[in-house]
């Protein structure tokens, strides 16, 4: 199947559109279970200023906090999983939607109902994080290097090698006094890697560091660490914790050097110049470049640049730089880019030329590599990448219920053994990308097939996460996509089958429009009975920080109005200060569907504050909610039983109001520890009884308090250890939890992850206590593009009451691989 997709994508952009219809035809039209999987899909879109990474979940997930606050080579996001996500360990991974930006996405269970999502970037990035309106996704905005909305912040350009990330260093010693030349020379003698010193302030104390680096790959860094450990016994591995090589400046326009009359490059003034010879030279140069005849391309461009009319001069300088890059002539490429920026600082392509120039400078630094022919901005060739994964999963369980008042032989047969999961899960994710000088094309398919071995299980299932083709011109500001895709902004609530278009009319005004058919989960096929249209206007960025959006969306189902809403979104981003707020008002039901404010603030003494305030309708208000609990499956059938006004009221009665208030404080303790304190208060409102369906009482307000300590490089360089306690009260169950989660690298390619969690649940109905023990172990082998995982665990539950003693056991294990290409 993967080979078929690759062949389709390797053809023309027109043929790649066929994958959309082909893949959508595979999906079953009925809603299916997700085999306990929390992660659904990830996709990444890009604009001149940022990337938008959207991660979708198969069940409701509540954002808790994240760290680091706004920049780093990785980000860890703490999540509270809803009851629909199931119990047990959730250790899952997703294919990277864009390997040049995202290295990996991994979900790990912590304790109780909490988990952490770990995203590794290709080098240090700046980002902001916001939950989606439907609580089934996260939207992560990653600022592009050289295009930050906060010019004060420094962003390191990622290394172009897709197999590694930049920023490794070996910390040999830390001292309260500066290191002298003798200490630096001694450090240099232990390794061929450059020795250097750096400084950091921790708890108002000035520390000096003696280090080796930068080092590109983790395996190389690990080897050097073992090599120098006999000389420096307190050595540890640093991963992108400082701006190594940050003195490499971003080339800014030189004052007084702009030529406003020549600043349009290939624009209107070029077309106004009559120079047939320049036209022929430009046409011939582009043709030679497309055929990869780079030597001939340079000859033609040299002649073109010597034309007295200066027609196509800006475009020729940029193409000349790209061509020299392809020929690995970095000095010549740098010269051409610098000339472009001196002569055309206000050109539409100036931003991407700056990015290319800084990528070249980074690639020539010690410890970095350069791949001749790799082209990030205009490759003029198809690039196919993705991954294939297969995992076998099995859950075996048993339950025994006895009556303590009866003899043992009377209850000896009150036990049951069962298998709740026995399946082979197959995933494929393939992306084909064509970066042109003007228009970029991307086609992607991600999905899978689950082979269910249970006779009474949910059956074999097909999943289609993404199946779309998109075209964009970042410089002219237009974008178009068609197929199955995921969007969580501008009033869109996740995955849909349809089309989306965007056009930037002015530098601070972009208009987006979308239409299609909403999709419940990736296991659902196209449903033409539900449809939507949306329009959103994006403004900014203003004052290098504010980005507001307004939108309107109309959604119908079987001819009935399902949802009709208007909304507002605001994003504010400055180093150390991030605020994201959005509100959605349904004009059909005359009610506020959701109002959310998420903020991150850097406080004195290295404290970071995360705040989350949410008021939501759960599920989000829509006419389709009227079907909950009814004996019919469609609104058409329901209309035979109730009037239109009655159906509207039923939808409101089935919808509850949920509230969440959360404050998280985190602080590094030294260089290897981080403390996180979390307090939450949430309430689920009641639902009304109507239409033959019973209502539910309100739950809460419930209060959660937790403490988590993260320790890095304690037992072994590069290890991650998390210990936490959690207490929840105010609901039908009072819960106290304790958990330990560890990831220990050993040898060069192996990683072992033992974990355990213990829960004590006290039922308020009868004051009985349930004890749950969940030990687990995960072993990972990582070799270049191949990852092999073995996971096994046990879940034991003990519940004693006055009349029964219950013992249940669930043993689970999985074995599989993930290969990226």
């Amino acid at each position: 199947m993967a080979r078929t997709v690759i062949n389709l994508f390797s053809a023309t952009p027109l043929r790649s559109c066929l994958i959309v219809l082909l893949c959508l035809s595979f999906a079953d039209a009925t809603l299916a279970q997700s085999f306990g999987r929390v992660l659904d899909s990830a996709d990444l879109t890009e604009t001149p200023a940022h990337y938008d990474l959207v991660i979708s979940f198969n069940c409701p997930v509540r954002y808790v906090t994240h760290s680091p606050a706004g920049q780093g080579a990785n980000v860890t996001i703490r999540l509270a999983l809803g009851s629909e996500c199931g119990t047990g360990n959730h250790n899952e991974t997703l294919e990277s939607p864009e390997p040049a930006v995202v290295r990996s996405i991994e979900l790990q269970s912590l304790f109780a109902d909490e988990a952490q999502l770990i995203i590794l970037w290709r080098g240090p990035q700046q980002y902001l994080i916001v939950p989606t309106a439907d609580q089934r996704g996260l939207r992560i905005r990653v600022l592009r290097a050289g295009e930050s909305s906060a010019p004060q912040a420094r962003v390191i350009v990622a290394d172009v090698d897709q197999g590694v990330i930049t920023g490794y260093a070996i910390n040999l010693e830390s001292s309260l006094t500066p290191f002298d030349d003798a200490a630096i020379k001694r450090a240099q003698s232990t390794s061929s890697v450059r020795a250097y010193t750096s400084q950091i302030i921790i708890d108002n104390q000035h520390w000096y560091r003696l280090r080796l680096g930068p080092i590109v790959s983790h395996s190389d860094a690990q080897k050097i660490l073992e090599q120098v450990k006999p000389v420096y016994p307190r050595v540890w591995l640093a991963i992108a914790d400082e701006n190594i090589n940050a003195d490499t400046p971003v080339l800014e326009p030189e004052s007084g050097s702009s030529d406003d009359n020549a600043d349009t490059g290939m624009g209107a003034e070029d077309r106004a110049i009559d120079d047939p010879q320049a036209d022929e030279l430009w046409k011939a140069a582009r043709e030679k470049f497309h055929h990869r005849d780079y030597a001939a391309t340079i000859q033609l461009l040299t002649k073109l640049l010597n034309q007295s009319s200066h027609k196509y001069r800006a475009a020729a300088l940029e193409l000349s730089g790209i061509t020299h890059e392809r020929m690995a002539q970095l000095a010549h490429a740098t010269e051409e880019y610098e000339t472009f920026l001196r002569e055309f600082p206000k050109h539409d392509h100036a931003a991407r030329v700056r990015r290319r120039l800084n990528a070249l400078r980074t690639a020539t630094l010690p410890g970095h590599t350069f791949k001749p022919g790799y082209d990030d901005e205009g490759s003029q060739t198809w690039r196919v990448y993705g991954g294939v994964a297969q995992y076998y999963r099995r859950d075996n369980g048993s339950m025994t219920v006895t009556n303590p008042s009866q003899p043992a032989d009377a209850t000896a047969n009150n036990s049951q053994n069962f298998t709740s999961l026995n399946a082979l899960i197959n995933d494929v994710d393939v992306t084909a990308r064509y970066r042109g000088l003007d228009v970029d094309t991307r086609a992607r398919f991600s999905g899978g097939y689950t082979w269910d071995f249970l006779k009474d299980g949910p059956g074999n299932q097909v999943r289609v996460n993404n199946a779309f083709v998109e075209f964009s011109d970042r410089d002219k500001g237009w974008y178009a996509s068609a197929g199955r895709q995921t969007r969580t902004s501008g009033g869109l609530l996740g995955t849909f089958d349809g089309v989306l278009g965007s056009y930037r009319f002015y530098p601070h005004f972009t208009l987006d429009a979308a239409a299609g058919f909403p999709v419940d989960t990736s296991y659902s096929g196209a449903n033409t009975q539900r449809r939507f249209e949306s329009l959103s206007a994006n403004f900014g960025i203003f004052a290098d920080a504010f980005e507001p959006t307004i939108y309107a969306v109309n959604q119908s189902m079987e001819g009935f109005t399902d949802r009709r809403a208007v909304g507002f979104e605001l994003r504010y981003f400055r180093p150390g200060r991030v605020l994201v707020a959005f509100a959605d008002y349904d004009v059909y039901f005359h009610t506020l569907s959701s109002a959310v404010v998420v903020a991150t603030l850097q406080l004195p003494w290295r404290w970071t504050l995360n705040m989350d305030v949410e008021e939501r309708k759960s599920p989000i208000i829509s006419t389709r909610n009227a079907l909950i609990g009814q004996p019919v499956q469609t609104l058409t059938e329901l209309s035979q039983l109730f009037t239109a006004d009655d159906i509207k009221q039923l939808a409101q009665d089935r919808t509850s109001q949920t509230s969440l208030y959360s404050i998280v404080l985190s602080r590094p303790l030294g260089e290897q520890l981080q403390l996180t304190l979390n307090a939450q208060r949430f309430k689920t409102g009641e639902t009304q009884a109507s239409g033959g369906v019973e209502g539910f009482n309100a739950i809460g307000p419930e209060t959660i308090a937790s403490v988590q300590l993260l320790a890095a490089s304690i037992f072994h360089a590069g290890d991650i250890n998390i210990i936490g306690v959690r207490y929840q009260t105010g609901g039908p169950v009072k819960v106290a939890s304790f958990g330990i989660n560890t990831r220990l690298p050993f040898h060069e390619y192996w990683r072992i992850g033992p974990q355990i969690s213990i829960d004590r649940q006290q039922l308020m109905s009868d004051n009985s206590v349930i004890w749950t023990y969940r030990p687990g172990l995960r072993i990972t082998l990582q070799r270049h593009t191949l990852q092999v995982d073995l996971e096994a665990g046990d879940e034991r539950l003990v519940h004693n009451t006055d009349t029964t003693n219950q013992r249940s056991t669930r043993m689970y294990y999985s074995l599989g691989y993930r290969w990226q290409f």
Side-chain angles (χ1 to χ4, degrees):
M1 182 176 176
R3 183 176 304 171
T4 303
V5 174
I6 293 174
N7 289 337
L8 282 170
F9 282 169
S10 300
T12 64
L14 180 60
R15 289 186 181 180
S16 63
C17 295
L18 295 177
I19 195 63
V20 175
L21 297 178
L22 183 62
C23 295
L24 290 179
S25 66
F26 290 156
D28 189 276
T30 61
L31 179 65
Q33 299 179 16
S34 60
F35 287 89
R37 186 174 172 87
V38 175
L39 292 177
D40 183 27
S41 66
D43 191 38
L44 185 141
T45 57
E46 58 183 304
T47 72
H50 57 260
Y51 301 98
D52 274 337
L53 173 65
V54 176
I55 299 176
S56 301
F57 303 101
N58 285 310
C59 54
V61 170
R62 190 169 68 249
Y63 164 86
V64 178
T65 185
H66 71 275
S67 64
Q71 61 182 8
N74 58 76
V75 59
T76 299
I77 306 170
R78 282 184 62 191
L79 305 169
L81 308 181
S83 58
E84 297 178 30
C85 298
T87 60
N89 290 328
H90 296 283
N91 295 315
E92 306 167 10
T93 56
L94 280 177
E95 293 294 340
S96 169
E98 177 54 71
V101 181
V102 183
R103 183 170 180 242
S104 64
I105 301 172
E106 182 176 1
L107 181 75
Q108 295 181 349
S109 291
L110 292 176
F111 51 89
D113 63 348
E114 291 193 0
Q116 62 181 7
L117 185 69
I118 303 173
I119 303 173
L120 300 183
W121 309 112
R122 291 291 180 188
Q125 303 286 356
Q126 279 190 308
Y127 48 80
L128 63 90
I129 298 172
V130 61
T132 60
D134 61 351
Q135 290 189 310
R136 288 179 177 264
L138 289 174
R139 184 183 180 195
I140 306 174
R141 172 156 295 183
V142 184
L143 301 183
R144 296 174 68 95
E147 295 296 323
S148 170
S149 62
Q152 306 94 321
R154 310 193 71 166
V155 181
I156 300 176
V157 180
D159 194 288
V160 296
D161 188 345
Q162 293 187 11
V164 295
I165 62 173
T166 61
Y168 292 100
I170 306 297
N171 195 94
L172 302 175
E173 287 183 332
S174 297
S175 172
L176 295 175
T177 58
F179 292 96
D180 56 21
D181 292 341
I184 299 175
K185 290 180 180 179
R186 177 172 175 261
Q188 186 65 72
S189 66
T190 62
S191 172
S192 59
V193 179
R194 177 173 62 93
Y196 68 97
T197 60
S198 65
Q199 304 176 38
I200 188 173
I201 297 177
I202 301 177
D203 298 333
N204 296 322
Q205 185 70 58
H206 200 130
W207 288 87
Y208 298 87
R209 292 166 162 176
L210 179 61
R211 293 190 162 193
L212 299 174
I215 306 167
V216 174
S217 71
H218 181 273
S219 60
D220 289 343
Q222 196 67 47
K223 290 177 182 177
I224 296 172
L225 184 144
E226 297 297 333
Q227 174 186 334
V228 301
K229 185 178 290 185
V231 182
Y232 297 94
R234 300 181 64 182
V235 65
W236 52 276
L237 180 64
I239 305 176
D241 65 345
E242 62 184 356
N243 281 7
I244 301 173
N245 298 318
D247 55 342
T248 302
V250 177
L251 182 65
E252 296 295 340
E254 297 181 7
S255 60
S257 63
S258 85
D259 181 359
D260 292 337
N261 295 328
D263 207 17
T264 54
M266 292 181 62
E269 293 194 10
D270 267 349
R271 290 190 293 269
I273 299 175
D274 184 16
D275 189 345
Q277 186 177 1
D279 295 338
E280 292 296 327
L281 288 171
W282 175 244
K283 180 179 178 181
R286 285 175 60 92
E287 183 176 351
K288 293 294 184 182
F289 180 81
H290 291 166
H291 289 86
R292 303 186 183 183
D293 189 350
Y294 301 134
T297 302
I298 292 296
Q299 292 178 358
L300 292 167
L301 291 175
T302 302
K303 294 180 180 179
L304 178 59
L305 290 170
N306 289 329
Q307 291 291 111
S308 58
S309 66
H310 294 295
K311 190 174 185 179
Y312 303 109
R313 182 168 178 80
L317 286 169
E318 182 182 10
L319 185 57
S320 179
I322 295 174
T323 307
H324 281 301
E325 273 194 65
R326 297 289 185 82
M327 301 172 71
Q329 298 173 349
L330 305 190
H332 291 294
T334 299
E335 182 181 357
E336 298 288 34
Y337 291 147
E338 290 178 343
T339 302
F340 179 101
L341 293 171
R342 283 196 301 270
E343 297 185 13
F344 307 101
K346 298 179 182 179
H347 194 277
D348 291 341
H349 295 184
R352 74 182 189 187
V353 171
R354 290 191 189 99
R355 290 194 298 270
R356 300 193 66 87
L357 180 60
N358 280 280
L360 279 180
R361 289 178 168 180
T362 302
T364 57
L365 291 169
H368 292 248
T369 58
F370 176 77
K371 285 186 176 181
Y374 180 85
D375 187 27
D376 182 51
E377 299 292 340
S379 66
Q380 297 290 299
T381 58
W382 281 97
R383 183 167 64 97
V384 179
Y385 55 89
V388 176
Q390 286 187 305
Y391 281 85
Y392 174 73
R393 303 179 187 272
R394 184 182 178 96
D395 282 18
N396 295 325
S398 65
M399 177 181 294
T400 302
V401 180
T402 60
N403 190 331
S405 64
Q406 296 181 0
D409 57 353
T411 59
N413 296 323
N414 292 345
S415 62
Q416 179 183 6
N417 298 322
F418 56 89
T419 299
S420 58
L421 176 62
N422 186 14
L424 179 65
I425 302 174
N426 308 274
D427 292 304
V428 61
D429 192 329
V430 181
T431 299
R433 189 160 208 159
Y434 179 89
R435 286 190 178 275
L437 290 176
D438 300 313
V439 178
D440 295 344
T441 304
R442 182 171 71 120
R444 184 184 181 201
F445 170 78
S446 65
Y449 180 79
T450 301
W451 190 356
D452 183 18
F453 299 117
L454 293 177
K455 293 182 180 179
D456 56 349
N460 301 337
Q461 298 176 6
V462 173
R463 183 180 73 257
V464 179
N465 304 98
N466 294 280
F468 63 83
V469 59
E470 65 180 17
F471 307 91
S472 64
D473 188 323
R474 287 182 290 156
D475 296 305
K476 294 182 180 179
W478 63 266
Y479 170 91
S481 62
R484 174 160 293 188
Q485 52 197 302
T486 302
R487 295 292 185 275
T488 57
S489 61
L492 304 182
L493 298 178
T495 304
F496 67 93
D497 299 324
V499 296
L500 184 146
S502 175
Y503 187 77
R504 187 175 68 243
F505 288 92
Y506 301 101
H508 298 292
F509 175 68
T510 302
L511 196 63
D512 296 347
F517 313 105
V519 175
D520 287 317
T521 73
S522 57
Y523 291 87
S524 304
N527 181 5
T528 58
Q529 295 302 309
R530 297 176 62 203
R531 60 186 63 192
F532 77 93
E533 307 85 29
S534 73
L535 186 67
S536 64
N538 307 285
F539 304 92
I541 300 173
F542 298 116
D544 292 324
F546 293 94
E547 185 179 8
T549 297
I550 57 174
Y551 64 83
V553 59
N554 180 69
Q555 185 169 304
S556 62
M557 180 176 179
E558 303 173 43
F560 295 85
T561 297
D562 189 36
R563 175 173 176 258
R564 184 175 295 162
V566 294
F568 172 79
E569 301 173 2
L570 175 65
R571 289 168 288 275
Y572 172 84
F573 187 90
R574 281 288 176 86
R577 302 188 302 275
V578 175
L579 173 68
V580 180
F582 59 85
D584 184 282
Y585 183 83
D586 195 296
V587 297
Y588 179 69
F589 288 96
H590 303 289
T591 187
L592 187 66
S593 298
S594 60
V596 176
V597 177
V598 179
T600 301
L601 181 64
Q602 296 280 1
L603 301 177
W605 301 293
R606 305 182 72 206
W607 283 99
T608 299
L609 170 68
N610 288 91
M611 182 185 71
D612 186 4
V613 178
E614 302 182 15
E615 292 285 342
R616 298 176 181 268
K617 296 294 184 181
S618 181
I620 190 167
I621 187 70
S622 68
T623 303
R624 192 169 64 138
N625 293 355
L627 292 171
I628 297 175
Q630 295 294 336
V632 296
Q633 302 297 319
T634 67
L635 290 179
T636 301
E637 294 174 310
L638 192 64
S639 66
Q640 304 300 317
L641 305 176
F642 301 96
T643 66
D645 290 339
D646 290 338
I647 292 175
K648 186 175 181 179
Q649 185 60 50
L650 289 176
Q652 293 174 303
D653 293 341
R654 299 291 84 78
T655 306
S656 66
Q657 180 76 27
T658 62
S659 305
L660 169 67
Y661 304 92
S662 171
I663 293 179
V664 182
L665 286 169
S666 60
R667 184 185 191 278
L669 304 176
E671 295 189 359
Q672 296 169 267
L673 302 177
Q674 177 169 306
L675 177 67
T676 301
L677 309 174
N678 175 31
Q680 292 184 43
R681 185 176 177 87
F682 62 93
K683 179 181 179 180
T684 302
E686 64 181 2
T687 61
Q688 302 297 322
S690 61
V693 180
E694 294 184 1
F696 292 94
N697 295 328
I699 301 177
E702 298 183 77
T703 302
I704 297 177
S706 66
V707 180
Q708 177 181 292
L709 181 66
L710 183 148
S713 299
I714 299 297
F715 304 105
H716 192 284
D719 67 24
I720 298 177
N721 311 277
I722 301 173
I723 182 170
V725 293
R726 182 176 184 268
Y727 183 74
Q728 177 176 342
T729 185
V733 181
K734 185 182 296 184
V735 184
S737 304
F738 169 79
I740 299 177
N741 191 306
T742 300
R743 302 173 69 190
L744 299 169
F746 65 99
H747 294 292
E748 186 175 354
Y749 304 106
W750 294 87
R751 185 177 65 188
I752 184 171
Q755 58 187 28
I756 185 171
S757 66
I758 302 173
D759 297 343
R760 182 188 184 274
Q761 305 176 60
Q762 182 179 359
L763 304 183
M764 296 294 97
S765 58
D766 58 4
N767 284 325
S768 63
V769 174
I770 302 174
W771 285 92
T772 307
Y773 309 88
R774 297 189 184 93
L777 178 67
R778 186 181 188 187
I779 301 175
T780 300
L781 169 65
Q782 180 74 57
R783 287 296 305 269
H784 306 297
T785 59
L786 177 66
Q787 176 177 316
V788 180
D789 294 301
L790 171 63
E791 183 180 0
D794 188 18
E795 180 180 283
R796 296 182 180 273
L797 182 147
V798 179
H799 183 200
N800 297 331
T801 68
D802 294 336
T803 58
T804 61
N805 293 334
Q806 178 182 332
R807 304 287 188 276
S808 65
T809 301
R810 183 178 74 95
M811 299 186 65
Y812 63 90
Y813 59 88
S814 69
L815 176 64
Y817 71 90
R818 184 174 297 273
W819 172 62
Q820 292 184 322
F821 55 85

